[in-house]
Amino acid sequence: MSVRWDTEGLQTVGIVCLVIMFLKLMHLLGLIDITETDSSDSDLELSTVRHQPEGLEQLQAQTKFTKKELQSLYRGFKNECPSGLVDEETFKTIYSQFFPQGDATTYAHFLFNAFDLDRNGSIRFEDFVIGLSVLLRGSVTEKLNWAFNLYDINKDGYITKEEMLLIMKSIYDMMGRYTYPSVRDEAPSEHVEKFFQKMDRNRDGVVTIEEFIETCQKDENIMNSMQLFENVI
């Protein structure tokens, strides 16, 4: 199966890939089906892992998941990550399994940094579930803020052409031979220019969070992609 790049809707590709990544990662971790839990899970089985996550009530307050959903998410996370932490190499390995036709390591690196909230080189269960809550059940503004943070590689509050080019190249690398027509070397740069023509309202060479959210909210394709998997779990 091939993917045809639509230049008018290309700005949605990163957001769609982001949501698809969550769905696939959840499937790998066995998180799609929410099942009943017994009382032994009530405290998230904190004694069985080296990293102890925050209490269940605190995570309920920070996310939009129920107690049973959090318990099921935690069991799946713990099964794949017994230490309670995911380092970048493990994250890349898990994510790359779903894109064998290409090289997903660079895109996975950017995703990892977006998840790693405290910038300590590992993703905790708390990091994972807070991000998951935003993308699956957050408001449109919350989801777009998360996506902006992904694209803002150096976290200075602006998306530059250089940053967007790195993101676009990583997406093309990830999709590999499934892109159609075959990607020309100049294609990522051309798409970055289209992105900035649409997003950079004041033509100052960078995209702010305000410009990003305002433009995305007016784009029907992007708004539809924001709602794809709201009811997955």
Side-chain angles (χ1 to χ4, degrees):
M1 178 178 179
S2 297
V3 175
R4 178 181 287 276
W5 297 110
D6 178 357
T7 56
E8 291 301 316
L10 192 77
Q11 67 272 16
T12 69
V13 168
I15 294 174
V16 171
C17 286
L18 188 62
V19 178
I20 290 173
M21 178 280 294
F22 266 110
L23 186 65
K24 290 181 173 180
L25 189 58
M26 287 164 61
H27 175 73
L28 176 70
L29 297 178
L31 307 180
I32 296 298
D33 294 321
I34 301 301
T35 58
E36 293 296 320
T37 59
D38 57 38
S39 59
S40 63
D41 289 326
S42 61
D43 293 320
L44 293 178
E45 301 177 16
L46 299 186
S47 63
T48 63
V49 295
R50 289 193 292 275
H51 169 73
Q52 295 187 352
E54 297 171 2
L56 188 60
E57 290 184 0
Q58 186 172 348
L59 284 177
Q60 277 185 274
Q62 291 178 295
T63 68
K64 297 181 180 180
F65 294 125
T66 66
K67 177 180 178 180
K68 289 182 178 179
E69 288 170 338
L70 285 169
Q71 290 167 341
S72 183
L73 288 166
Y74 183 68
R75 284 198 305 275
F77 188 91
K78 186 184 66 175
N79 287 340
E80 286 296 320
C81 316
S83 70
L85 299 170
V86 181
D87 61 26
E88 184 169 346
E89 290 307 309
T90 301
F91 185 85
K92 287 179 179 178
T93 298
I94 293 173
Y95 188 55
S96 294
Q97 292 177 35
F98 297 106
F99 296 93
Q101 74 282 358
D103 181 359
T105 55
T106 302
Y107 191 68
H109 166 73
F110 296 139
L111 284 172
F112 181 88
N113 286 340
F115 271 114
D116 184 13
L117 300 179
D118 53 11
R119 307 285 180 257
N120 68 351
S122 61
I123 298 174
R124 306 167 301 159
F125 175 69
E126 298 94 311
D127 300 330
F128 173 75
V129 80
I130 288 171
L132 191 66
S133 176
V134 169
L135 287 181
L136 294 184
R137 296 185 180 170
S139 66
V140 168
T141 300
E142 288 171 334
K143 293 175 183 178
L144 291 175
N145 268 292
W146 206 99
F148 183 90
N149 180 60
L150 169 68
Y151 302 148
D152 178 16
I153 295 173
N154 67 359
K155 313 307 178 193
D156 66 351
Y158 302 95
I159 300 173
T160 65
K161 288 186 177 181
E162 292 76 15
E163 288 174 322
M164 202 64 208
L165 183 59
L166 290 173
I167 293 288
M168 288 309 308
K169 285 181 176 178
S170 72
I171 292 173
Y172 278 116
D173 288 343
M174 178 175 64
M175 298 308 297
R177 67 173 182 270
Y178 283 1
T179 58
Y180 178 82
S182 297
V183 177
R184 295 171 290 110
D185 289 342
E186 63 270 24
S189 296
E190 291 174 358
H191 292 316
V192 169
E193 289 301 320
K194 289 181 179 292
F195 175 90
F196 270 78
Q197 287 172 15
K198 192 166 189 176
M199 295 279 182
D200 184 12
R201 297 298 185 89
N202 63 359
R203 301 293 183 258
D204 64 351
V206 296
V207 174
T208 64
I209 183 64
E210 292 80 13
E211 290 173 321
F212 182 78
I213 290 177
E214 181 182 354
T215 306
C216 287
Q217 287 179 331
K218 294 178 180 179
D219 188 295
E220 183 178 353
N221 290 328
I222 294 178
M223 290 299 94
N224 288 337
S225 74
M226 293 282 95
Q227 301 171 9
L228 285 178
F229 301 120
E230 285 185 348
N231 298 313
V232 165
I233 63 172

